[in-house]
């Protein structure tokens, strides 16, 4: 069997109480029927975390299904109107914390500095971070993708001191080329391989004293037609799926494609 992957469903600002409950049940059923062998995480909107975590966590046998959130505050309790801390999400079983998604960076002006605060706070508290990086189409057309990703990675990890005892297996880097998100056009297999290889080399240098390197997953128009090819690329440890993860049939096919 192929090595175990991590496949993460980012539901973004989509769904309703009823639709996400049904979707979660369908995923649970597929796992119980042993259709899915990989590790799966669902990232619902924050408000649905309490309900869906009950659904996920009450199934003790579902070891490979976890829940997480799409964004988290950089700060502990305090006067931060509208923000939600990781401690609050953890109360409802959140295991994964997505940070630095391009939609947060572009639509909500999240800066590299804020993202690095979030990353260091989560990692220093032994939490699992899914850190998104990726270039725009304009940057890609100017062949700047490596430079951009390198800067995003360096900045996101900049507040962690070299000798700190953070666990590298708490880090997942998601390579999401922005032009591939929601466009129906994923990056080519060759580009995915090359970029993952580049990220891996950077991480190997950054964490040279660590035995385990962070996992690297791909996101951007992953669907049930291309998932087998993408998940089979050397260096791809999993996928971050947006649109197709809102459709139970498609998402289950993605998760069981290799
Ligand atoms: P799509 O799968 O819809 O392209 O979205 C990718 C994404 O942004 C996941 O975080």
């Amino acid at each position: 069997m192929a090595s175990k992957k991590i496949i993460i469903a980012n539901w973004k600002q989509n769904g309703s109480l009823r639709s996400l409950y049904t979707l979660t049940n369908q995923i649970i059923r597929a796992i119980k029927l042993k259709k899915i062998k990989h590790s799966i995480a669902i990232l619902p909107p924050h408000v649905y975390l309490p309900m869906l975590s009950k659904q996920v966590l009450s199934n003790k046998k579902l070891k490979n299904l976890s829940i997480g959130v799409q964004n988290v505050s950089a700060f502990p309790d305090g006067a931060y109107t509208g923000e939600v801390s990781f401690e609050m999400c953890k109360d409802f079983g959140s295991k994964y914390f997505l940070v630095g998604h391009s939609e947060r960076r572009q639509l909500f002006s999240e800066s590299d500095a804020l993202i690095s605060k979030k990353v260091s706070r989560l990692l220093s508290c032994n939490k699992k971070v899914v850190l998104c990086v990726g270039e725009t189409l304009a940057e890609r057309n100017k062949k700047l993708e490596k430079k951009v990703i390198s800067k995003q990675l360096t900045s996101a990890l900049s507040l962690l001191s070299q000798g700190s005892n953070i666990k590298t297996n708490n880090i997942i880097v998601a390579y999401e080329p922005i032009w591939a998100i929601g466009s129906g056009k994923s990056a080519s297999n060759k580009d995915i391989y090359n970029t993952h290889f580049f990220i891996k080399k950077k991480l190997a240098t950054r964490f040279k004293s660590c035995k385990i390197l962070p996992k690297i997953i791909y996101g951007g128009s992953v669907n049930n037609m291309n998932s087998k090819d993408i998940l089979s690329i050397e260096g791809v440890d999993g996928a971050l799926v947006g649109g197709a993860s809102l459709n139970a049939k498609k998402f289950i096919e993605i998760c069981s494609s290799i």
Side-chain angles (χ1 to χ4, degrees):
M1 185 198 145
S3 64
K4 207 166 173 178
K5 310 281 179 184
I6 166 100
I7 301 169
I8 304 178
N10 177 8
W11 289 341
K12 307 191 180 185
Q13 189 188 303
N14 288 299
S16 62
L17 193 65
R18 185 192 282 255
S19 72
L20 296 182
Y21 181 85
T22 306
L23 181 54
T24 304
N25 258 347
Q26 287 166 311
I27 296 169
I28 290 174
R29 203 168 332 127
I31 293 176
K32 282 188 175 162
L33 290 172
K34 303 211 183 324
K35 283 191 183 161
I36 300 176
K37 305 212 165 55
H38 301 287
S39 295
I40 311 298
I42 55 171
L43 311 183
H46 281 101
V47 285
Y48 298 128
L49 186 63
M51 175 189 74
L52 299 181
S53 72
K54 228 188 223 171
Q55 227 177 326
V56 170
L57 301 175
S58 63
N59 280 282
K60 294 232 161 29
K61 284 189 190 143
L62 291 175
K63 292 218 167 25
N64 56 338
L65 179 63
S66 311
I67 196 157
V69 287
Q70 305 164 17
N71 181 32
V72 73
S73 170
F75 306 101
D77 282 3
Y80 303 105
T81 302
E83 290 288 280
V84 179
S85 69
F86 84 73
E87 287 89 343
M88 295 167 179
C89 303
K90 206 174 73 70
D91 280 345
F92 292 98
S94 179
K95 180 169 168 192
Y96 292 95
F97 299 87
L98 192 71
V99 171
H101 192 281
S102 60
E103 285 148 19
R104 301 284 335 154
R105 295 179 193 258
Q106 293 194 318
L107 303 174
F108 302 99
S109 307
E110 281 202 10
S111 63
D112 280 346
L114 182 70
I115 290 162
S116 66
K117 259 191 202 164
K118 294 184 182 189
V119 169
S120 71
R121 180 164 147 69
L122 287 162
L123 290 177
S124 58
C125 295
N126 199 18
K127 297 288 157 282
K128 286 199 184 297
V129 175
V130 183
L131 167 68
C132 300
V133 297
E135 79 284 358
T136 63
L137 188 59
E139 288 160 347
R140 180 183 167 79
N141 288 341
K142 288 190 215 148
K143 300 206 184 327
L144 290 173
E145 62 269 25
K146 290 196 172 123
K147 203 171 167 192
V148 169
I149 292 167
S150 179
K151 185 171 166 277
Q152 289 170 337
L153 279 174
T154 307
S155 166
L157 302 171
S158 63
L159 295 177
L160 307 168
S161 57
Q162 279 289 349
S164 65
N165 54 355
I166 60 127
K167 292 189 185 143
T168 37
N169 63 355
N170 276 338
I171 308 173
I172 296 173
V173 174
Y175 170 51
E176 293 208 306
I178 296 169
W179 48 271
I181 295 176
S183 66
K185 194 179 177 318
S186 69
S188 70
N189 291 358
K190 188 166 166 247
D191 282 342
I192 296 174
Y193 172 83
N194 284 337
T195 311
H196 278 232
F197 187 73
F198 172 75
I199 294 172
K200 191 173 175 180
K201 249 182 24 196
K202 282 242 16 141
L203 293 170
T205 308
R206 176 62 179 78
F207 297 110
K208 53 178 177 292
S209 56
C210 301
K211 283 205 187 96
I212 301 171
L213 283 182
K215 286 191 188 310
I216 309 167
I217 64 177
Y218 170 79
S221 293
V222 175
N223 59 44
N224 50 333
M225 309 304 280
N226 61 21
S227 56
K228 185 172 181 192
D229 282 349
I230 291 174
L231 291 168
S232 303
I233 299 169
E234 191 189 335
V236 172
D237 298 312
L240 180 55
V241 189
S245 71
L246 288 160
N247 177 302
K249 185 173 174 289
K250 285 185 186 167
F251 187 62
I252 291 163
E253 278 179 24
I254 292 169
C255 295
S256 46
S257 58
I258 66 163

